[in-house]
Amino acid sequence: MADEILLNEEPVETKEEVVAGVHNYSREDSYVKPEDPKVLQKLEWFQDQKLGLMMHWGPYSQLGIVESWALSDGDADWSRDGIDWEVTGEDFKKEYFGLNKTFHPIRFEPEKWADLAKEAGMKYLLFTTKHHDGFCMWDTAYSDYKITAPDCPFHTHKYADICAHLFESFRKRGIGIAAYFSKADWHVDSYWKEDTPRGKFKNRGPSYRPEEDPQEWERFVTFTQNQIRELGTGYGRLDAMWFDAGWVCARNGQDIRLGEVIEEVRKVQPGMLCADRTVGGPYENYVTPEQCVPESPLSIPWESCITLGTSFSFKYEDEYKSPREVICLLADIVVKGGNLAINVGPQPDGRIPAGAVRTLKEMGAWLSEYGEAIYGTRVCAPYKKEGIGFTQKKGKVYAIQTFPDENAVVEDSVWIPYEKEFQKVTAMAGEKVVSFVKEEGGVRVELEHVTHDKAPIARVFILS
């Protein structure tokens, strides 16, 4: 009994890193700055981008439940609340793994996705090439559980190799490409197998101890490295590879020797970034808070991945954040030095949900006016104070005043708590500065009166 319990336990590190499917993020003081000058150059590029479109998409979109996680018996307490039909856990796994046979997104149009992303002000795409369930959204040579397999009805479609067409469409519009890849694979038998003491019971980790069956683990390592190499060398320019399943790491006894294959890929993709989430070390080039924003600025590269709706995967009748909510969120992240990867889960038919489209377009409209204060900027003390956030670029300081509530009072007089030297104050997007007076602790700005039916999302002032 003791041995059985031990086999079914996950390492302590795993429980700390991933709770209810949400990853924690590595500490600032554990960051290892890359030494490769090309990687450092790409990090500067990354920190300029500020806004990315994250997309979780796969056969699971047909169910409208959380992606992959309900397959793990060890995570059933939180991940199966969306399974409201009469079915046992084992039957559910069979149903889930059979979703490839009905996944047929015939309304998928990569060019339209890319046009929407461009209009929304997105600077890079972060797309799930493979989630923990193991289903591959590209034409991999190493698995038959893929979008281009004969048992997937979409395999004859002109856009069947989804990653290939999607990446190319976004690249043509000048949008960067980051490939999400789960290091765990719950479909391949070298990770989840049943001829073990655990039997059919599955946790998020492998169903055997790698140190007790090194040959089987090496088979999984070879499989995983082959797929990473395949994506990294056969699908055009990648700006980053973003690795999920933080429990798959050397300290948990699950060493896939990621650095080994990343260095191979970098021979083809010089400077490509690697985000080995929550693992730390030289291959976590930027950290990735999930569904949260750090309280204070971070001195290292980072990106918050946050859902536009309530779920990373498509959810029927989901509720989406308003443009005001997302822009205020983006401003909060940017003034702390980070990027926002806002996640949208496409529908099973291949379309972006209408509610998400509305928000994305209105985000783009705001950014077309105020993007100068967001893109390409860096942190600027005092960062965020008294309702004003600060960024800087090319000798200019941008003071961003956000209004999270449309019913907020919009004053003609604005206090900006910025104490360093500047000569002039102007306002963006047609606002007119009547006068400004430097006082102790900041500057008082008087604006020409404008009647507002509702508070704007934000006002931006330029101190130069």
Side-chain angles (χ1 to χ4, degrees):
M1 177 65 74
D3 288 345
E4 253 181 67
I5 292 172
L6 190 60
L7 278 168
N8 288 336
E9 283 185 344
E10 294 292 343
V12 172
E13 291 91 339
T14 299
K15 291 179 180 175
E16 292 176 344
E17 288 162 359
V18 190
V19 178
V22 176
H23 279 66
N24 201 335
Y25 58 97
S26 298
R27 297 190 312 272
E28 193 173 4
D29 60 7
S30 66
Y31 182 72
V32 176
K33 185 177 180 179
E35 297 180 358
D36 183 337
K38 290 180 179 176
V39 173
L40 291 171
Q41 183 180 5
K42 182 64 76 170
L43 273 174
E44 286 298 316
W45 169 88
F46 173 77
Q47 291 178 287
D48 282 343
Q49 306 311 299
K50 303 305 179 189
L51 182 61
L53 177 62
M54 187 181 202
M55 306 187 93
H56 279 68
W57 195 38
Y60 47 81
S61 62
Q62 297 169 92
L63 298 181
I65 65 169
V66 64
E67 65 288 343
S68 299
W69 284 100
L71 291 167
S72 169
D73 298 303
D75 292 282
D77 57 339
W78 66 269
S79 66
R80 293 183 183 170
D81 59 352
I83 302 171
D84 55 3
W85 63 100
E86 187 60 37
V87 66
T88 67
E90 289 307 307
D91 285 339
F92 169 75
K93 291 178 199 176
K94 291 176 185 174
E95 289 176 350
Y96 185 106
F97 281 128
L99 288 170
N100 61 315
K101 298 179 177 64
T102 53
F103 188 45
H104 197 24
I106 56 173
R107 301 185 75 175
F108 169 58
E109 294 180 88
E111 300 286 331
K112 285 187 176 180
W113 284 24
D115 283 340
L116 175 62
K118 185 76 173 178
E119 184 180 350
M122 300 298 170
K123 298 300 183 180
Y124 60 97
L125 170 71
L126 172 52
F127 185 73
T128 46
T129 65
K130 180 179 77 166
H131 206 261
H132 314 327
D133 59 13
F135 186 81
C136 301
M137 298 290 275
W138 80 98
D139 187 26
T140 179
Y142 301 101
S143 172
D144 291 329
Y145 196 53
K146 59 181 178 177
I147 192 71
T148 55
D151 58 356
C152 180
F154 196 63
H155 79 277
T156 58
H157 197 278
K158 64 179 179 178
Y159 296 139
D161 191 338
I162 283 174
C163 285
H165 292 285
L166 198 58
F167 291 175
E168 194 58 33
S169 294
F170 276 68
R171 279 194 208 100
K172 281 195 296 188
R173 287 155 181 81
I175 299 173
I177 305 295
Y180 169 115
F181 182 92
S182 173
K183 295 180 293 182
D185 190 314
W186 296 342
H187 186 267
V188 69
D189 63 2
S190 55
Y191 197 79
W192 267 11
K193 50 194 286 189
E194 295 188 1
D195 58 340
T196 71
R198 189 180 292 180
K200 293 182 180 294
F201 186 91
K202 299 293 190 294
N203 274 349
R204 62 186 68 157
S207 57
Y208 60 94
R209 290 187 174 282
E211 67 270 23
E212 293 177 1
D213 196 344
Q215 186 173 352
E216 192 68 15
W217 181 252
E218 189 58 32
R219 191 161 73 92
F220 178 70
V221 171
T222 299
F223 162 78
T224 304
Q225 288 197 353
N226 280 339
Q227 286 203 319
I228 293 170
R229 193 178 293 112
E230 187 177 51
L231 282 168
T233 61
Y235 280 77
R237 190 202 72 249
L238 297 182
D239 297 291
M241 292 195 79
W242 198 95
F243 293 97
D244 209 355
W247 61 90
V248 181
C249 61
R251 68 171 174 265
N252 283 352
Q254 300 179 49
D255 188 3
I256 60 168
R257 304 194 300 278
L258 181 63
E260 185 179 286
V261 68
I262 290 299
E263 291 306 327
E264 282 186 52
V265 170
R266 281 177 174 164
K267 292 176 182 176
V268 178
Q269 307 264 14
M272 185 191 76
L273 300 178
C274 177
D276 193 11
R277 307 184 67 201
T278 74
V279 174
Y283 295 99
E284 190 173 17
N285 300 150
Y286 58 94
V287 300
T288 55
E290 182 172 339
Q291 295 287 53
C292 68
V293 179
E295 290 184 9
S296 304
L298 300 183
S299 62
I300 61 175
W302 63 279
E303 165 200 78
S304 277
C305 51
I306 296 177
T307 53
L308 184 59
T310 61
S311 170
F312 279 102
S313 54
F314 172 72
K315 181 179 179 181
Y316 291 94
E317 299 180 344
D318 204 355
E319 296 180 3
Y320 296 96
K321 292 178 178 66
S322 68
R324 182 181 299 273
E325 288 177 285
V326 181
I327 293 299
C328 289
L329 179 65
L330 174 63
D332 185 42
I333 288 170
V334 170
V335 301
K336 294 172 182 175
N339 287 13
L340 169 62
I342 192 76
N343 181 91
V344 175
Q347 296 177 176
D349 65 0
R351 290 179 297 164
I352 308 299
V357 171
R358 283 193 294 272
T359 292
L360 292 171
K361 288 189 173 198
E362 289 187 47
M363 284 171 57
W366 188 90
L367 285 161
S368 68
E369 287 193 288
Y370 296 98
E372 179 187 338
I374 301 294
Y375 303 122
T377 60
R378 293 295 184 271
V379 293
C380 177
Y383 314 113
K384 191 172 185 181
K385 186 177 180 181
E386 299 177 43
I388 306 286
F390 297 90
T391 61
Q392 62 180 325
K393 176 175 62 179
K394 297 179 180 177
K396 295 179 180 179
V397 171
Y398 301 90
I400 306 170
Q401 180 187 32
T402 53
F403 296 92
D405 184 348
E406 66 176 33
N407 296 314
V409 176
V410 184
E411 304 274 0
D412 295 334
S413 180
V414 183
W415 172 249
I416 301 176
Y418 183 77
E419 299 185 57
K420 293 184 180 178
E421 283 300 312
F422 60 90
Q423 301 302 317
K424 184 170 65 171
V425 179
T426 55
M428 296 182 70
E431 296 269 12
K432 292 184 179 179
V433 174
V434 175
S435 65
F436 66 91
V437 178
K438 295 181 182 180
E439 301 174 8
E440 184 177 352
V443 57
R444 175 73 58 185
V445 179
E446 299 294 334
L447 292 169
E448 184 176 88
H449 179 71
V450 175
T451 300
H452 297 276
D453 294 331
K454 59 183 180 180
I457 292 175
R459 296 191 296 199
V460 179
F461 303 91
I462 304 173
L463 281 59
S464 58

